[in-house]
Amino acid sequence: RFVVKKWRFPLEEAVLYAKKKGCKTSIAHPGQYHFREKELQTFKDIGVDAIEVYHPRHAPSDSGYYDAAANRYGFLTSGGSDFHSADSDVLGELPSLGRSFYPLDRAKKFLGDFL
């Protein structure tokens, strides 16, 4: 089994680097980390473009909260299945792949010129 060691560097540096390369940035599955107003404001101040609203482990109330927060803070919205492997990403008895609905109009706003 192949394992890649993780390393961490400041979010500010990651956002700056991504923007220099022409990329957009998004905070992944904020509901899993219970990010609220303080963290969302920090992400906005740093220059993050979007927050992941649509995620299979977000309860409908989480998606609603982050959708409203995206509007309040001026974030774009992102979404995905967060699928890494069948070993690690099973919800109940089914893999998370494809279990999260991400509206096409929102995806187009987030992806913009990448489409």
Side-chain angles (χ1 to χ4, degrees):
R1 184 173 175 143
F2 183 72
V3 177
V4 176
K5 185 178 177 183
K6 289 184 178 184
W7 77 94
R8 301 194 186 278
F9 57 96
L11 181 60
E12 297 90 336
E13 289 180 37
V15 170
L16 280 172
Y17 183 77
K19 290 187 179 264
K20 283 181 185 177
K21 296 295 181 180
C23 299
K24 290 184 182 173
T25 57
S26 180
I27 297 298
H29 38 74
Q32 286 188 265
Y33 304 111
H34 310 288
F35 291 147
R36 291 295 188 245
E37 302 304 315
K38 178 182 173 186
E39 293 87 2
L40 296 173
Q41 184 62 58
T42 298
F43 299 146
K44 190 62 180 177
D45 292 345
I46 289 170
V48 171
D49 298 299
I51 53 177
E52 187 175 33
V53 170
Y54 307 97
H55 185 274
R57 288 192 173 95
H58 278 180
S61 59
D62 292 327
S63 292
Y65 175 81
Y66 291 111
D67 190 37
N71 287 327
R72 279 194 311 279
Y73 288 95
F75 287 114
L76 296 168
T77 60
S78 65
S81 64
D82 198 30
F83 183 79
H84 296 267
S85 76
D87 293 333
S88 65
D89 296 305
V90 174
L91 299 173
E93 295 187 17
L94 298 173
S96 64
L97 184 63
R99 293 184 68 183
S100 180
F101 174 75
Y102 182 31
L104 182 59
D105 64 319
R106 300 279 182 104
K108 286 180 177 180
K109 284 181 185 176
F110 178 69
L111 294 172
D113 295 336
F114 294 107
L115 288 178

